[in-house]
Amino acid sequence: MNQSDPLKKARRKRRWKFTTLFIILIALYIWAFSGIEFRGIQETAWPVTKNIIHGFISPDLSFIYSPDGEDLIRGLLETLAIAVVGIMLSIIFAIPIGLWAAKNLSSTSLISQSGKGILSFFRTMPDIILALLFIKVVGPGAYAGMLALGIGAIGMLGKLYAEEVEAMDEGPVESIAAVGGNKLQQLAFGVIPQVLPGFISATLYRFEINMRSAATLGLIGAGGIGTPLIFAIQGRSWDRVGIIIIGIVIVVLIVDLISSALRKRIV
Amino acid sequence: MIELENVSKIYPNGVKGLQDINLTIDKGEFISIVGLSGAGKSTLLRSINRLIDISSGDIRINEQSITSANEKSLRLIRRDIGMIFQNFNLVKRSSVLRNVLSGRVAHNNTLRTLLNLFPQKDVDLALKALERVNILDKAYTRSSELSGGQQQRVSIARALAQEAKIILADEPTASLDPVTTKQVMDDLKKINTEDEVTVIINLHFVDLAKEYSTRIIGLREGKVVFDGSPAEATDEVFEEIYGRSLKEDELLGEENL
Amino acid sequence: MDTKLNGPVPSKPSRWSFYLFLIGIFIIVLISAIYIDANPFTFFRNSENMFDLIGSMFPPAWSYIATTTPAMLDTIRMALLGTTFGMILSIPIMFLCARNIFRIRWLVEASRIGLNILRTIPDLLLAAIFAAILGFSPIAGIVALSIFSIGIIAKLSFEAIENIDNGPLESMTAVGANKLQWIAFGVVPQILPHFVSYVLYTFEINIRAAAILGLVGAGGIGLYYDRALGFFAYDQVLALILYTLVVVILIDLISLKIREKLL
């Protein structure tokens, strides 16, 4: 009997823990549900949904290409361009900050910690908010969107780079130091060749995210396919919304496919 | 000539790595350092090229103190000291040739090396070094595709291309099988006799030490407890170094060779 | 050392394709930059705008935090409910997508394609569409986040399911369990900690997403971003940014603590 006592105690403790968790969750949900006004749904919801579905079934194919002015192809190309230049800008900043933040490259933890601090600062800024700020600087359009993506991705990319460096084998770096190589040479011969595949993989991963972000930047006026999309939504031309979303899905899928194929090849 | 004068090393956690070591090593010697793991073999070796900073004493390479050398002269001293590691420490994704050429970085200006523009003389030197260790045909192969023994020969080639006057080898054969072990030791011996390169090597197998070296140094708890010729290193001496009689795994065994 | 070689030198592999690749990337970036008019000089010429902007952000309008707290609570509610519905909807989908659960090949592949398509649609875009359907209210945000969450939770979970240990599955088959029992006793115990961890991770992402959904009319704190920016009240914008930051960090910390306990 004595033996089962601690067992019983553990079970009771476990049950108590689960009950508390359960009560907390229930309270949380009551709070969440009671705060939301469910009356707010407009009566037109169903007809609008029908129109949207209809828009997807018979999309506005004429929007794909028009010789003058805005069309789908130009919008998607601009989105792609925003993502491409944006990632380039991020790489330029993320590599030095990432190396700076890597624990095993700095002599004191103060250095790497300060690098990590900078990265967290960048990471907490949402792309969209940055875009709103850059619109004020360079005016609305793709340029502002590119700057937002480029600066916004530094935090995540730099963190991924730093983690890659921290996971590397330090032997080769030591061996370059042993033959008399200076810090730069240790970096070029010991560190970079080791971490390059990881860096490329992280960059491609972030590029996939960039594509999705770039597609939405236009919703707030920062260029790309989002601009005609928000106009189409506001103008309730659902056949145009349909073709734009189909276009986004196809391009993002293709980018994802190419990116994951490349990532598999380099690892 | 390498001189160690009253060298001690105390690690930040209080462990005494080396205690009052005094040694003089002449050019062309082939020295084996033996002892239990934790006896300070690695610490001693890494102190010589200052991969580890010593706590007190002085180490001089050809009359120049490495202990008090500044950044730049430290690199110049290290340029002439090759190092071979237990786990090879090659960049596995780089080609064999690039790994060997990395031994030449301190001979060239930084910008040139960063752009990978080594002078033809250096490339010739690297290729010749690869030929001397019999892996010239692997020059453009990725290092990761080589066997352990071949990888260790790449790091020997790196020391050769470096035109090192001293080679420090930290348990170079510990991750190799007996046959490759023998080849690697033969390569080191050849370099030692043909090029008059001083070789200092940490060894786990005492019979290898007796077979190859001109001098054996025994370490125990960071102190030199034996320093003499292989002939003087009798079984009793090893018992003194190891604090017990030799175990089976400390002998490579003749039948394996 | 004499460098004359006795044997033949192996031929040096061509680096052409590598250089071409680099040049190709350079050209793509350059063309892209020209295409979107990304002239660095424009940025520097207008950089005083940025300093003006940053200057007008200080001091932050702290009083705005009190005004916007109900909206912030709405944002947390949206993220919480969106994650919850997304989690519930993910459960059948993740089992359908895992190759080692259902052997009906076409069904599994079709579900995976469907999930991949779903994952291409960005959160803000979903919010814009549901705001058009359901009107400008947090409900649009909740629906958008629910669908967005499926993409993350179902994807991570089905990959976890495919990596589970086969032993317990075989023993369930051996004792003659039906498919539901087989899942409940063989699969669920193995993936539950992962699943909960993914849900929490998605919650962290959703908090960030919910904070900006209001920009396209889907409720929450984002509405106030829109308003403050419209009035050029940058001191209020900064207050909002800082407020969001604190909430995000707090929730991240709580979530991280729970996730650490789980795994």
Side-chain angles (χ1 to χ4, degrees):
Chain A
M1 271 295 111
N2 268 348
Q3 273 173 312
S4 69
D5 254 9
L7 216 81
K8 230 185 237 166
K9 209 182 243 171
R11 202 178 298 155
R12 204 176 303 142
K13 202 176 160 195
R14 220 171 118 92
R15 195 170 298 161
W16 193 79
K17 226 163 95 180
F18 269 101
T19 320
T20 333
L21 196 73
F22 193 69
I23 292 170
I24 291 175
L25 272 177
I26 292 290
L28 212 57
Y29 280 117
I30 289 174
W31 169 76
F33 275 109
S34 63
I36 302 282
E37 281 205 34
F38 285 94
R39 304 177 287 111
I41 302 175
Q42 49 194 26
E43 312 85 61
T44 52
W46 179 239
V48 172
T49 312
K50 257 197 324 208
N51 285 341
I52 291 179
I53 293 170
H54 186 260
F56 273 105
I57 295 168
S58 58
D60 177 9
L61 297 177
S62 69
F63 185 68
I64 295 178
Y65 176 76
S66 80
D68 42 72
E70 274 187 344
D71 61 18
L72 180 67
I73 292 184
R74 265 170 248 184
L76 288 173
L77 280 178
E78 193 176 72
T79 307
L80 205 62
I82 292 173
V84 167
V85 186
I87 201 81
M88 208 60 211
L89 185 69
S90 321
I91 294 170
I92 293 170
F93 285 99
I95 288 181
I97 305 181
L99 294 175
W100 170 9
K103 238 192 340 253
N104 48 351
L105 291 188
S106 57
S107 39
T108 70
S109 68
L110 204 70
I111 298 176
S112 68
Q113 284 304 326
S114 61
K116 290 230 165 74
I118 291 178
L119 290 175
S120 338
F121 171 75
F122 278 118
R123 214 164 46 248
T124 45
M125 294 289 265
D127 294 348
I128 293 288
I129 304 297
L130 282 171
L132 290 168
L133 298 179
F134 281 119
I135 285 173
K136 303 290 172 192
V137 180
V138 295
Y143 191 15
M146 181 281 281
L147 287 173
L149 277 193
I151 303 297
I154 292 174
M156 177 183 181
L157 214 49
K159 181 167 178 260
L160 291 173
Y161 289 171
E163 282 169 1
E164 195 63 41
V165 172
E166 284 171 2
M168 75 173 180
D169 175 12
E170 300 200 24
V173 188
E174 192 182 30
S175 72
I176 302 298
V179 300
N182 59 30
K183 279 264 178 269
L184 273 175
Q185 289 167 331
Q186 289 171 31
L187 212 57
F189 286 81
V191 180
I192 299 294
Q194 278 196 79
V195 299
L196 199 59
F199 275 26
I200 295 174
S201 179
T203 309
L204 286 169
Y205 171 65
R206 178 63 214 195
F207 185 69
E208 292 172 27
I209 298 178
N210 265 13
M211 270 312 291
R212 292 169 169 78
S213 279
T216 58
L217 286 170
L219 299 178
I220 50 127
I225 192 65
T227 311
L229 179 63
I230 193 79
F231 288 144
I233 291 176
Q234 281 164 354
R236 313 259 142 179
S237 43
W238 298 113
D239 52 346
R240 183 163 288 187
V241 173
I243 191 71
I244 293 176
I245 293 182
I246 292 171
I248 293 176
V249 167
I250 291 174
V251 171
V252 174
L253 268 183
I254 292 174
V255 167
D256 279 8
L257 278 178
I258 295 175
S259 162
S260 71
L262 280 175
R263 275 156 65 184
K264 267 187 200 128
R265 251 191 74 181
I266 53 163
V267 175
Chain B
M1 193 164 75
I2 307 166
E3 294 158 287
L4 288 87
E5 197 182 301
N6 306 326
V7 172
S8 290
K9 167 72 186 175
I10 299 164
Y11 284 101
N13 60 8
V15 171
K16 288 178 181 158
L18 297 174
Q19 297 184 55
D20 202 26
I21 305 265
N22 286 287
L23 285 171
T24 304
I25 294 163
D26 288 320
K27 187 175 167 62
E29 284 194 273
F30 193 114
I31 295 181
S32 297
I33 302 173
V34 296
L36 287 168
S37 44
K41 291 178 296 186
S42 242
T43 309
L44 178 60
L45 213 62
R46 277 155 198 265
S47 299
I48 295 175
N49 62 356
R50 219 177 108 184
L51 282 181
I52 290 177
D53 277 307
I54 54 175
S55 313
S56 63
D58 190 25
I59 297 176
R60 286 184 300 277
I61 317 280
N62 294 329
E63 254 110 75
Q64 195 187 353
S65 167
I66 192 169
T67 313
S68 55
N70 61 22
E71 280 274 322
K72 193 162 189 307
S73 36
L74 171 64
R75 287 204 296 274
L76 285 176
I77 298 172
R78 279 178 176 172
R79 194 181 73 181
D80 296 329
I81 306 176
M83 185 146 194
I84 292 163
F85 301 84
Q86 172 181 341
N87 37 13
F88 326 133
N89 282 0
L90 302 177
V91 177
K92 294 203 175 54
R93 294 184 50 89
S94 298
S95 73
V96 165
L97 184 64
R98 190 175 155 87
N99 269 301
V100 177
L101 275 174
S102 73
R104 300 293 304 169
V105 289
H107 293 264
N108 290 291
N109 84 46
T110 308
L111 189 64
R112 238 187 132 137
T113 56
L114 294 190
L115 296 172
N116 215 7
L117 296 169
F118 287 93
Q120 190 57 42
K121 181 185 106 333
D122 285 17
V123 178
D124 291 343
L125 213 59
L127 290 170
K128 183 68 194 176
L130 282 171
E131 191 184 62
R132 285 188 65 187
V133 294
N134 290 321
I135 45 169
L136 179 59
D137 56 319
K138 305 282 187 207
Y140 295 103
T141 313
R142 242 194 210 194
S143 310
S144 57
E145 289 166 28
L146 267 53
S147 69
Q150 287 171 325
Q151 290 194 35
Q152 196 56 296
R153 273 184 270 164
V154 174
S155 55
I156 295 175
R158 174 165 61 193
L160 273 176
Q162 194 188 337
E163 296 180 294
K165 314 275 189 298
I166 300 164
I167 289 180
L168 307 173
D170 192 6
E171 304 253 15
T173 62
S175 25
L176 303 178
D177 62 71
V179 180
T180 5
T181 293
K182 183 112 175 67
Q183 287 166 348
V184 165
M185 290 302 292
D186 285 341
D187 280 337
L188 285 173
K189 187 74 193 168
K190 203 169 86 179
I191 297 164
N192 170 246
T193 46
E194 288 177 6
D195 303 17
E196 273 193 271
V197 170
T198 313
V199 174
I200 306 172
I201 182 168
N202 284 347
L203 278 179
H204 183 69
F205 300 114
V206 294
D207 43 0
L208 279 181
K210 285 177 87 162
E211 185 183 344
Y212 284 93
S213 38
T214 57
R215 178 175 164 194
I216 294 177
I217 292 171
L219 281 188
R220 190 175 165 184
E221 289 164 14
K223 281 185 262 201
V224 175
V225 290
F226 173 79
D227 186 351
S229 71
E232 295 165 323
T234 57
D235 284 357
E236 291 76 56
V237 166
F238 283 118
E239 272 174 39
E240 162 74 23
I241 297 172
Y242 285 81
R244 54 168 166 70
S245 57
L246 290 175
K247 282 197 292 198
E248 192 73 9
D249 73 340
E250 275 137 15
L251 295 167
L252 192 55
E254 273 306 311
E255 71 276 16
N256 286 332
L257 295 183
Chain C
M1 185 159 69
D2 175 22
T3 59
K4 219 169 76 88
L5 297 171
N6 302 318
V9 186
S11 61
K12 195 173 167 175
S14 167
R15 308 267 289 166
W16 261 112
S17 56
F18 174 71
Y19 292 131
L20 273 180
F21 179 71
L22 281 190
I23 293 169
I25 288 194
F26 179 76
I27 290 173
I28 288 174
V29 173
L30 195 70
I31 290 177
S32 301
I34 294 169
Y35 192 79
I36 60 169
D37 268 332
N39 184 345
F41 293 110
T42 321
F43 182 80
F44 292 117
R45 207 176 316 125
N46 294 333
S47 57
E48 62 184 86
N49 285 359
M50 194 168 65
F51 293 121
D52 284 350
L53 182 70
I54 293 171
S56 59
M57 286 180 154
F58 289 94
W62 297 117
S63 62
Y64 208 48
I65 288 179
T67 321
T68 54
T69 296
M72 182 58 91
L73 294 178
D74 262 359
T75 303
I76 299 173
R77 283 190 187 103
M78 275 162 57
L80 184 68
L81 294 179
T83 313
T84 308
F85 293 129
M87 171 187 83
I88 295 168
L89 292 169
S90 298
I91 293 171
I93 296 175
M94 71 198 204
F95 286 116
L96 276 178
C97 288
R99 291 204 173 107
N100 52 347
I101 300 295
F102 287 101
R103 305 285 171 188
I104 315 160
R105 194 62 199 272
W106 65 268
L107 185 65
V108 173
E109 293 308 317
S111 328
R112 287 168 91 117
I113 292 171
L115 185 63
N116 268 331
I117 289 178
L118 185 69
R119 273 168 33 82
T120 59
I121 306 176
D123 48 358
L124 212 57
L125 210 163
L126 286 170
I129 291 171
F130 284 108
I133 297 178
L134 300 169
F136 287 3
S137 81
I139 299 180
I142 294 173
V143 177
L145 288 178
S146 306
I147 294 177
F148 178 64
S149 305
I150 295 174
I152 308 174
I153 301 177
K155 169 94 197 306
L156 293 171
S157 301
F158 93 69
E159 283 171 350
I161 294 176
E162 290 187 344
N163 284 326
I164 58 174
D165 176 15
N166 233 343
L169 298 185
E170 280 175 353
S171 62
M172 284 314 292
T173 312
V175 297
N178 67 30
K179 195 83 191 176
L180 265 180
Q181 294 166 327
W182 187 79
I183 290 176
F185 293 94
V187 182
V188 172
Q190 288 197 64
I191 59 147
L192 195 61
H194 295 280
F195 182 71
V196 176
S197 161
Y198 297 148
V199 170
L200 286 168
Y201 167 69
T202 309
F203 182 56
E204 290 169 32
I205 296 180
N206 280 350
I207 284 281
R208 290 176 167 79
I212 53 171
L213 289 186
L215 288 171
V216 292
I221 197 89
L223 287 170
Y224 287 92
Y225 273 110
D226 205 24
R227 193 171 300 167
L229 281 159
F231 291 139
F232 304 102
Y234 296 114
D235 52 344
Q236 294 182 350
V237 174
L238 182 61
L240 281 175
I241 291 178
L242 294 173
Y243 192 13
T244 315
L245 220 117
V246 170
V247 171
V248 165
I249 291 173
L250 268 177
I251 288 186
D252 276 8
L253 277 177
I254 297 171
S255 168
L256 189 77
K257 276 274 169 304
I258 303 178
R259 283 204 277 160
E260 270 173 1
K261 278 226 170 105
L262 280 171
L263 290 180

